[in-house]
Amino acid sequence: MARNITKKNKRCRGHQKAISKKKSHSSTESGLRNYSLYINRVLKEVVPQKSISSRTIDIINTMINDTFESISTAACNLMYYRKRCTLTPEDIEKAVYLLLPEKLAKYAVAFGKEAVQRYVRSLTPCSSFIKSWGK
């Protein structure tokens, strides 16, 4: 788990204060997310006539959370190994390549980059608004 790696007294390069973990007040006590809604959406998009049991959804959800945790732990280890204070996309990409098989990692990184680019484009304001703003 990523929480076990970070230490409260761990100091970052160039900073005087120790890095501390803020506790978030989420709805889940263990910090694990529930992806059942997204699993059902993807299933209905791929195979509309099929359904899935709640037990199978729980297993897939656990698998997603475990994969996320292992990738984040490996990325955090890479960040500390490089003596950096900030987790970069390159750390996450290298962690994915370390943990997943070659072809799967390649697709995961490609789809991840595409999703981030789509998200960033959704945040940028409309170009016509920018043009009219300058006038």
Side-chain angles (χ1 to χ4, degrees), residues 1-121:
M1 198 180 238
R3 291 183 196 131
N4 294 340
I5 294 170
T6 58
K7 302 211 184 322
K8 288 188 178 180
N9 296 331
K10 181 94 175 155
R11 293 185 187 272
C12 225
R13 183 176 54 166
H15 295 284
Q16 297 300 321
K17 289 185 176 181
I19 299 173
S20 64
K21 286 287 237 181
K22 292 182 181 178
K23 294 193 177 192
S24 62
H25 300 286
S26 63
S27 59
T28 58
E29 291 179 16
S30 62
L32 300 178
R33 300 220 27 208
N34 188 3
Y35 297 100
S36 61
L37 178 68
Y38 308 109
I39 294 167
N40 279 321
R41 284 183 186 172
V42 170
L43 178 69
K44 291 301 174 188
E45 188 175 313
V46 176
V47 190
Q49 65 273 15
K50 296 287 183 181
S51 62
I52 191 169
S53 70
S54 61
R55 177 74 178 133
T56 307
I57 289 177
D58 289 341
I59 292 169
I60 294 172
N61 193 45
T62 303
M63 186 180 72
I64 292 170
N65 282 316
D66 288 344
T67 305
F68 176 79
E69 186 177 323
S70 63
I71 289 172
S72 62
T73 302
C76 188
N77 287 338
L78 287 170
M79 181 187 72
Y80 285 134
Y81 180 75
R82 292 174 45 192
K83 296 184 174 101
R84 304 276 186 221
C85 297
T86 306
L87 186 66
T88 62
E90 289 80 22
D91 294 330
I92 297 169
E93 186 176 327
K94 287 177 185 177
V96 169
Y97 278 114
L98 284 172
L99 295 173
L100 298 179
E102 184 179 355
K103 195 170 185 178
L104 184 61
K106 184 178 172 183
Y107 280 113
V109 168
F111 281 114
K113 284 182 179 179
E114 181 185 339
V116 169
Q117 288 173 355
R118 198 175 321 135
Y119 176 73
V120 169
R121 279 195 305 261

